[in-house]
Amino acid sequence: MSIPGLHLTRIGNGDFLLEATRSLNICDQDRLLEGIVSRLQQARASRLYYDLSEQALIDPVYYAWLDALARTIRAINVKMVCIHMQPTAAFALTQFLREKPAFETALDISGWQKTGQ
């Protein structure tokens, strides 16, 4: 199944890497969430790493997308870890964040695996 604007790749036993491209349109969240959840359920995923390296800024709209994705996949027992967050994105996120996000964060995959399990 192809999800426009996203590359979803199995990287390990139950682990997936989601890479969003600049063409990702988060306006149709329901369709995106359905496609991602379907793919993760079929593969019996346990963890999703969301690569934010292409996202220079996280605004409230993009945060809402990340939050919706993390909460939705949590319902199927999949944990979401955002990796490769740029300093500008992290700073912008702290300006409006009022509660603990529904996702974890880490510098990269290996950094989270050492501390997050």
Side-chain angles (χ1 to χ4, degrees):
M1 168 189 279
S2 177
I3 305 168
L6 296 173
H7 295 276
L8 187 58
T9 309
R10 180 186 290 269
I11 58 170
N13 187 21
D15 292 344
F16 281 78
L17 175 65
L18 189 143
E19 298 167 287
T21 66
R22 294 186 191 270
S23 65
L24 175 64
N25 181 359
I26 59 175
C27 292
D28 191 4
Q29 282 190 20
D30 292 343
R31 184 180 54 79
L32 291 171
L33 291 172
E34 184 179 324
I36 294 168
V37 167
S38 174
R39 181 99 181 271
L40 294 174
Q41 278 184 313
Q42 288 172 0
R44 301 191 186 280
S46 58
R47 187 169 29 238
L48 176 69
Y49 293 100
Y50 194 115
D51 187 344
L52 290 170
S53 61
E54 294 292 317
Q55 194 67 34
L57 187 68
I58 296 177
D59 61 13
V61 173
Y62 202 84
Y63 173 73
W65 155 246
L66 292 173
D67 187 62
L69 177 58
R71 290 178 190 284
T72 302
I73 66 172
R74 185 187 303 159
I76 62 166
N77 204 28
V78 176
K79 181 177 287 197
M80 186 165 115
V81 182
C82 290
I83 59 171
H84 301 141
M85 189 180 304
Q86 295 183 30
T88 53
F91 178 76
L93 180 62
T94 65
Q95 299 305 301
F96 61 85
L97 198 59
R98 299 292 176 244
E99 59 187 43
K100 184 178 178 356
F103 51 85
E104 305 279 334
T105 59
L107 183 58
D108 57 27
I109 292 170
S110 63
W112 191 85
Q113 288 175 333
K114 289 178 187 169
T115 61
Q117 293 198 36

